[in-house]
Amino acid sequence: MSLRESFEKNRDRRYIMFGGKGGLGKTTFSAATAFWLAQQGHKVLVFSVDPQASLSDIFQRDIFGKGAVKIMDNLWAQEIDADSHIKAYQQEVRKKILDMYGMERIPDEIEDYIQAASAEPAMEESAIFDAVVDIVVKGDYDYYIYDLVPLGHALYYLSMAKVYDEWINRITQLREQMREHEEMVARIRRQKERTAFFFVVVPEQMIILDTEKAAQLFAKFDVPIAGYIVNRVLPAELARQELPPYLQNRLQVQNRYLEEITKTFGAQLVGSVPELERDVTGLPMIERLAGIMYGDGAR
Ligand SMILES: Nc1ncnc2c1ncn2[C@@H]1O[C@H](COP(=O)(O)OP(=O)(O)OP(=O)(O)O)[C@@H](O)[C@H]1O
Ligand SMILES: [Mg+2]
């Protein structure tokens, strides 16, 4: 099945995530997918919580912390500034304390406590989580593309799976609290089936191994994987040219790993993307990549 067929067969799909280790192409694929879906006439939001502001880089627009910014017809991009969410949360806590105890100012020891609590990674996670839930619950878009930060190690994968479940629960609870119709609640429960998680891999030994491990964890936590996409495949036409030994060798090594990828992920492999002659930034490059990923392969 191709990536395109995978979308055409799952028209209920609403939330798309690209995961994988650092620097493999998650942001690039998120942007290209968002571009393609927008071109197909769907209203799309691509968003991230990455403090590196990589969506700003790829779209060549300063969108960090600016809410949903319109990129082109049907396409919006948003970069959540977790720090500012934490600051707003601290401010809320201060206000509550002041109101509750009728204080004029926050005592130093309480302020110290607020500061220390905000330095906890859990606080950042929770701020990010709330921001993401807010975006999704509003339901303004046909598709939400969540450009994930690198999935580094086993623990992170586990927490991802947990966050994922939590997310679904929270959306459901929120809706229940709002006393929406039963029907609506049932629909939201189905959101899980409406989420597609794609793994980005490259033809390298370590990446294949790590991805396999991650996939096992996902399976254990019952998080379905929609497919795997190989990125940075050296163009096949290279093989038909006279190559210096260095490149010949690279090509051979890569072909070996490509075979391994095919063997490991089999029918779940939904795409293969060539190494382009330059990095992917700006709409014309994004469009070209979208054409490769979802079109007839025309470059
Ligand atoms: N097929 C490709 N051909 C050429 N350059 C590519 C290709 N795919 C990705 N790149 C480039 O590789 C770099 C890393 O890609 P990208 O930022 O999408 O990775 P990422 O997985 O989002 O990284 P991070 O884990 O840091 O978020 C970028 O400069 C991007 O333009
Ligand atoms: Mg990225």
Side-chain angles (χ1 to χ4, degrees):
M1 189 165 50
S2 72
L3 203 46
R4 187 190 190 125
E5 284 164 347
S6 157
F7 274 86
E8 283 168 356
K9 282 205 177 120
N10 296 283
R11 299 220 176 249
D12 270 358
R13 207 174 256 181
R14 235 179 134 194
Y15 312 106
I16 317 296
M17 303 190 216
F18 290 94
K21 295 200 81 177
L24 300 189
K26 298 179 293 296
T27 301
T28 308
F29 286 4
S30 297
T33 301
F35 185 97
W36 178 69
L37 287 168
Q39 242 182 0
Q40 305 287 303
H42 305 291
K43 198 176 167 193
V44 184
L45 178 72
V46 54
F47 68 99
S48 112
V49 299
D50 186 355
Q52 306 293 328
S54 42
L55 287 176
S56 286
D57 291 341
I58 195 163
F59 288 117
Q60 298 177 323
R61 291 272 297 272
D62 178 19
I63 60 170
F64 189 74
K66 292 191 160 64
V69 176
K70 186 163 183 177
I71 302 292
M72 61 179 215
D73 270 359
N74 287 328
L75 177 58
W76 282 260
Q78 180 166 1
E79 283 181 319
I80 296 162
D81 175 358
D83 273 353
S84 79
H85 279 269
I86 292 174
K87 292 211 175 77
Y89 180 66
Q90 286 177 328
Q91 208 37 45
E92 235 176 78
V93 171
R94 285 191 198 99
K95 192 176 173 306
K96 272 187 191 148
I97 292 173
L98 293 178
D99 291 350
M100 196 182 299
Y101 298 102
M103 290 171 170
E104 292 283 300
R105 62 175 283 275
I106 300 283
D108 288 347
E109 58 273 29
I110 294 180
E111 181 57 36
D112 286 351
Y113 180 77
I114 293 173
Q115 294 291 342
S118 308
E120 287 285 325
M123 174 74 98
E124 192 182 340
E125 249 170 55
S126 147
I128 287 173
F129 185 70
D130 284 347
V132 171
V133 169
D134 278 351
I135 288 177
V136 174
V137 164
K138 270 198 208 137
D140 293 339
Y141 301 88
D142 300 327
Y143 282 95
Y144 294 85
I145 319 272
Y146 188 0
D147 169 25
L148 295 167
V149 292
L151 302 177
H153 46 82
L155 270 180
Y156 191 83
Y157 281 112
L158 283 174
S159 70
M160 251 309 298
K162 222 183 77 212
V163 162
Y164 186 94
D165 270 354
E166 257 309 289
W167 176 2
I168 306 298
N169 286 341
R170 284 280 289 278
I171 294 171
T172 313
Q173 276 166 21
L174 274 173
R175 291 293 191 190
E176 277 166 350
Q177 277 164 18
M178 286 183 225
R179 285 198 209 95
E180 296 268 355
H181 306 294
E182 284 287 305
E183 218 175 283
M184 180 65 135
V185 174
R187 216 173 78 204
I188 304 290
R189 282 215 178 92
R190 281 215 327 267
Q191 303 298 28
K192 194 162 180 170
E193 291 143 43
R194 306 175 87 186
T195 306
F197 191 104
F198 293 99
F199 263 109
V200 184
V201 294
V202 294
E204 283 173 28
Q205 184 74 73
M206 288 309 292
I207 303 294
I208 300 173
L209 288 175
D210 279 354
T211 308
E212 267 187 279
K213 277 188 213 151
Q216 283 159 11
L217 277 168
F218 268 54
K220 202 168 133 194
F221 282 81
D222 212 17
V223 179
I225 295 168
Y228 298 81
I229 308 160
V230 199
N231 192 15
R232 310 202 85 133
V233 177
L234 295 173
E237 55 261 32
L238 269 186
R240 291 189 289 274
Q241 293 166 22
E242 284 279 329
L243 292 181
Y246 166 83
L247 268 180
Q248 273 175 19
N249 198 56
R250 288 239 39 156
L251 211 57
Q252 268 172 20
V253 170
Q254 179 186 276
N255 286 341
R256 203 165 68 229
Y257 291 138
L258 283 176
E259 276 171 28
E260 198 172 322
I261 286 176
T262 312
K263 231 171 48 209
T264 310
F265 305 116
Q268 282 195 289
L269 207 59
V270 290
S272 169
V273 174
E275 168 88 28
L276 300 179
E277 74 285 354
R278 52 154 289 193
D279 53 350
V280 182
T281 46
L283 283 181
M285 263 321 257
I286 294 171
E287 177 166 23
R288 203 175 124 208
L289 189 70
I292 294 171
M293 287 175 79
Y294 295 97
D296 48 15
R299 290 176 221 167

